[in-house]
Amino acid sequence: MVADPIKDWTNDYDIFDDSYIKDPFPVWDEIRSRCPVGHSGRWGGSWMPTKYADLFAIAQDTEHFSSRDILVAPVIPAGGADTSDEFYGVRAPPISSDPPEHTWARRLLLPPFSMKSVARFEDLTRGHCRSLIDGFIAEGRADGAADYAQQIPPYVIATMLGVSTDMTATFTNWVRDLLELGLTRPELRGPARIALLTFLTKEIQERKKAPKDDLISYLLAQEVDGQPVPDLHVLGTCLLVVIAGIDTTWSSIGSALWHLAQHPEHRRRIIDDPDIIQVAVEELIRAYSPVTMARYVASDVNYNGCPMKEGDRVLMNFPAANRDPEKFPDADKVVIDRAHNPHIAFGVGIHRCAGSNLARMEMRVAIEEWLKRIPDFELEDPAAVTWAGGQVRGPRSMMVRWARGGN
């Protein structure tokens, strides 16, 4: 079925429209200048704030805006949820939790995702990036998204969970069916969810018998109020680590390479001044923030003249907030050495991403290793680049080329 054409993006936006996925920036500018909170009846209906101040305020109002449903579109089939599913009701804490559960659920994740803990995986990440490049550098061309960016986070997450890195391709397929394809095709999302949860359940049971030095064993060893963390909570948290730690980061890496392929001056700046890499990473994350979350209106509220009703969905468009010219000078430009950069790509408030240190490390290392070996490259055909969107935006196919042989 072909969707009705969009006549006014401010009150009839479609976040799954091909033109929006490919280039959403003009839409955000239009909504921000006219509303600035858009509304649409598509995909179950939703509100979409686009200004930095609004996103910041809503994210911190947990009384009216709940995290019980963070998906940007309803995915339950028309027949309703299957409550006979053994995994029915499994959530993904702490991102899907409200206080007070959220408080201890987030606290559990902070130690393994601290800067010190994440540093343990840098050499492994660097070695994997080098291995990936070894596999295609002599060809003079590769898909910077599928052959490189999308191969890094699944490998790292598999290692953190203590499972075989041979699971990389399987994790990739599951995550795509859950967060990308499955949001508009529930027939894909359901089986992927069950397959992933079944796999994680088996791994949890194995760790209970024989703990290892990995994230699953760590979670099982923790206590809340003097009691072991429930298995269902451990399962949900592992689910979160997989789905939130893979697509988001590979999208950021891919978007960074997409940008650098078109801006030799920025590549040269990073190569000539390696110390600027972390600043450059922050700016690339700001300019191409991948994640839009959702909030569930917990009770009727009139927000800036918008009559939001209980049960409404609010799309937390952090990418649009990070391009708000009232907050960022030259917001629509990548200023590779931007000194002041209070972006909220990782969210804000109690749900700020606990895995941000890991994402930053992977992105920094991926860029560093690529530029060491392939300092000069370009898109083969900019018009042929394909993007995914909705919950997480990033390039999915992106052929790039360089002088054959490489370094």
Side-chain angles (χ1 to χ4, degrees):
M1 182 176 67
V2 178
D4 293 334
I6 298 168
K7 298 179 180 179
D8 186 345
W9 282 94
T10 64
N11 58 33
D12 187 34
Y13 57 77
D14 183 352
I15 61 172
F16 295 104
D17 182 83
D18 288 343
S19 66
Y20 179 87
I21 291 173
K22 186 174 182 179
D23 185 15
F25 310 123
V27 174
W28 300 341
D29 290 341
E30 179 181 353
I31 296 176
R32 195 186 299 112
S33 64
R34 292 178 56 193
C35 294
V37 180
H39 185 268
S40 178
R42 299 175 189 251
W43 303 104
S46 61
W47 300 88
M48 186 166 70
T50 53
K51 292 177 68 80
Y52 186 99
D54 290 331
L55 269 296
F56 197 96
I58 292 172
Q60 302 203 65
D61 184 355
T62 58
E63 177 184 354
H64 294 105
F65 303 100
S66 168
S67 295
R68 73 184 73 169
D69 185 357
I70 60 172
L71 295 178
V72 295
V75 294
I76 297 176
D82 180 7
T83 56
S84 66
D85 173 4
E86 64 176 307
F87 298 117
Y88 175 75
V90 174
R91 296 181 296 116
I95 200 171
S96 60
S97 306
D98 293 318
E101 178 193 23
H102 173 274
T103 304
W104 63 262
R106 178 179 170 82
R107 188 181 299 128
L108 287 178
L109 275 181
L110 293 181
F113 286 95
S114 68
M115 292 184 67
K116 181 178 179 180
S117 295
V118 164
R120 296 173 50 202
F121 299 97
E122 179 163 335
D123 287 346
L124 174 137
T125 305
R126 201 172 291 281
H128 185 57
C129 290
R130 291 171 179 171
S131 178
L132 291 171
I133 296 171
D134 286 342
F136 54 65
I137 190 168
E139 298 299 319
R141 68 192 295 267
D143 190 324
D147 296 335
Y148 190 64
Q150 294 172 28
Q151 301 300 316
I152 299 168
Y155 187 92
V156 176
I157 292 298
T159 303
M160 290 189 74
L161 291 172
V163 305
S164 172
T165 52
D166 291 342
M167 290 297 299
T168 294
T170 304
F171 276 174
T172 297
N173 291 334
W174 283 339
V175 169
R176 290 195 69 188
D177 283 351
L178 278 164
L179 279 185
E180 180 186 340
L181 306 174
L183 287 182
T184 56
R185 298 172 61 189
E187 71 275 12
L188 295 178
R189 189 174 192 275
R193 176 179 173 275
I194 291 174
L196 174 54
L197 288 171
T198 299
F199 171 80
L200 292 173
T201 297
K202 179 175 177 291
E203 292 296 322
I204 290 169
Q205 294 307 312
E206 290 182 358
R207 295 309 182 285
K208 294 178 79 171
K209 297 175 183 177
K212 300 194 298 186
D213 181 18
D214 59 30
L215 182 61
I216 296 175
S217 300
Y218 161 82
L219 291 170
L220 288 170
Q222 303 310 299
E223 293 185 348
V224 177
D225 296 331
Q227 299 296 320
V229 178
D231 285 4
L232 196 63
H233 187 96
V234 173
L235 176 61
T237 300
C238 291
L239 171 68
L240 170 66
V241 170
V242 173
I243 61 176
I246 291 181
D247 193 0
T248 55
T249 306
W250 86 36
S251 295
S252 291
I253 295 171
S255 294
L257 291 180
W258 177 81
H259 175 87
L260 293 172
Q262 300 171 89
H263 292 274
E265 75 280 10
H266 289 165
R267 298 199 303 268
R268 181 50 50 190
R269 180 68 189 278
I270 295 171
I271 292 169
D272 291 344
D273 184 7
D275 291 340
I276 204 176
I277 183 63
Q278 197 60 67
V279 174
V281 164
E282 293 302 314
E283 175 64 352
L284 290 165
I285 290 174
R286 178 200 70 84
Y288 304 108
S289 305
V291 182
T292 297
M293 304 296 292
R295 292 291 185 269
Y296 178 95
V297 179
S299 59
D300 292 1
V301 60
N302 189 303
Y303 182 84
N304 280 3
C306 300
M308 300 179 181
K309 303 298 183 182
E310 180 179 353
D312 283 359
R313 191 183 309 268
V314 179
L315 306 188
M316 302 298 286
N317 194 337
F318 296 118
N322 288 333
R323 285 190 172 241
D324 184 349
E326 290 186 7
K327 186 66 179 182
F328 299 95
D330 295 319
D332 60 342
K333 297 179 181 178
V334 173
V335 181
I336 207 69
D337 57 355
R338 189 182 293 272
H340 181 60
N341 197 345
H343 70 75
I344 52 175
F346 294 111
V348 66
I350 66 170
H351 287 289
R352 189 181 184 282
C353 178
S356 60
N357 291 323
L358 181 66
R360 286 184 167 107
M361 182 276 287
E362 292 179 71
M363 190 169 172
R364 171 176 56 81
V365 169
I367 294 172
E368 287 175 339
E369 293 302 323
W370 181 282
L371 292 180
K372 284 178 186 177
R373 308 283 297 282
I374 310 173
D376 295 307
F377 63 102
E378 63 182 3
L379 297 175
E380 278 194 351
D381 179 3
V385 176
T386 62
W387 296 79
Q391 194 90 31
V392 184
R393 180 178 183 269
R396 288 298 176 265
S397 179
M398 177 181 65
M399 293 303 301
V400 294
R401 62 190 176 195
W402 57 88
R404 288 177 64 88
N407 296 324

